[in-house]
Amino acid sequence: QSVLTQPPSVSAAPGQRVTISCSGGGSNIGNNNVSWYQQLPGTAPKLLIYDNSQRPSGIPDRFSGSKSGTSATLGITGLQTGDEADYYCGTWDSNLRGVFGSGTTVTVL
Amino acid sequence: QLQLQESGSGLVKPSQTLSLTCSVSGGSISSSVSHSWTWIRQPPGKGLEWIGYIYHTGNSYYNPSLDSRLTISIDTSKNQFSLKLRSVTAADTAVYYCARGGTSDWFDPWGQGTLVTVSP
């Protein structure tokens, strides 16, 4: 049972926009920064967003992040077939541990 | 650029100790004073689980659910850090990743991961 809750799956047509929610509580998202990871099939996760909304070098601006209260959201615009992957949110929890979301599978219709 | 590579036994018997090493290249563990060196695992078909991390000083933080069985160590002379998980069971079967941790607990880059199977 993950501490952070994400929808199991989201889908949209190419070129459309999807959003993925990550819901937590005051002990984690409410008091810490959130990061997002993309895991393509059979590969290691890759950092997409850090500090709630910052993109590492090389990550296109089609990917965006935001945080409000105890929830965070990842947005993907201009959806491409190459975006089909699992996406995870992550943060720190006051129980002195790192926590990840349950993961969301993005499907391009 | 910084690269991480996991190595170790891919098959461990129940009740024995799982041992993995992460070799870091393209940068020095010692010079990354604000970064942590992290282990994360992913059971087959499941999500990510944070195992723990260590700083170049040797200070470490563990997942409370694994604390009693876990040791993470660091060897700055070899630019490596390691994980030992004792008394393993089938529930410890997973792909184990090492990664560098950022100042606000983001993780980048990641190693390619290594599958460890616990089986007689």
Side-chain angles (χ1 to χ4, degrees):
Chain A
Q1 189 89 6
S2 298
V3 173
L4 307 179
T5 301
Q6 299 179 232
S9 63
V10 297
S11 61
Q16 296 299 302
R17 178 176 186 259
V18 295
T19 60
I20 301 170
S21 60
C22 175
S23 178
S27 64
N28 41 69
I29 293 178
N31 278 290
N32 294 286
N33 289 323
V34 176
S35 53
W36 288 91
Y37 304 87
Q38 177 194 59
Q39 187 175 31
L40 297 169
T43 69
K46 180 175 81 170
L47 179 66
L48 276 184
I49 298 287
Y50 68 98
D51 290 355
N52 306 320
S53 60
Q54 303 302 303
R55 285 186 309 276
S57 172
I59 301 300
D61 59 6
R62 299 189 300 108
F63 295 93
S64 63
S66 64
K67 186 185 103 168
S68 178
T70 59
S71 293
T73 301
L74 174 71
I76 310 174
T77 58
L79 200 62
Q80 302 174 359
T81 55
D83 296 332
E84 287 201 328
D86 292 328
Y87 292 82
Y88 294 91
C89 57
T91 189
W92 186 256
D93 186 275
S94 62
N95 291 319
L96 297 181
R97 61 189 177 117
V99 291
F100 291 100
S102 44
T104 299
T105 299
V106 170
T107 302
V108 181
L109 301 172
Chain B
Q1 75 274 21
L2 195 72
Q3 292 185 315
L4 289 80
Q5 177 70 57
E6 306 88 352
S7 61
S9 175
L11 181 63
V12 183
K13 289 181 167 49
S15 80
Q16 295 192 342
T17 298
L18 181 161
S19 297
L20 295 174
T21 295
C22 182
S23 298
V24 179
S25 59
S28 170
I29 282 181
S30 298
S31 64
S32 298
V33 294
S34 59
H35 292 112
S36 65
W37 303 96
T38 304
W39 289 99
I40 294 162
R41 70 181 181 180
Q42 185 173 35
K46 296 187 178 181
L48 302 171
E49 180 182 28
W50 181 84
I51 296 173
Y53 59 52
I54 191 166
Y55 288 92
H56 77 288
T57 57
N59 290 340
S60 57
Y61 298 84
Y62 297 163
N63 188 323
S65 69
L66 300 171
D67 195 325
S68 62
R69 300 191 289 131
L70 181 64
T71 301
I72 298 177
S73 58
I74 195 164
D75 187 337
T76 55
S77 67
K78 294 183 178 178
N79 227 31
Q80 296 176 336
F81 60 105
S82 300
L83 172 151
K84 290 189 186 298
L85 186 64
R86 297 173 291 278
S87 304
V88 297
T89 70
D92 295 310
T93 293
V95 174
Y96 285 75
Y97 296 101
C98 59
R100 182 186 63 172
T103 51
S104 56
D105 297 299
W106 45 260
F107 304 109
D108 180 68
W110 297 54
Q112 67 183 28
T114 187
L115 175 62
V116 178
T117 302
V118 178
S119 175

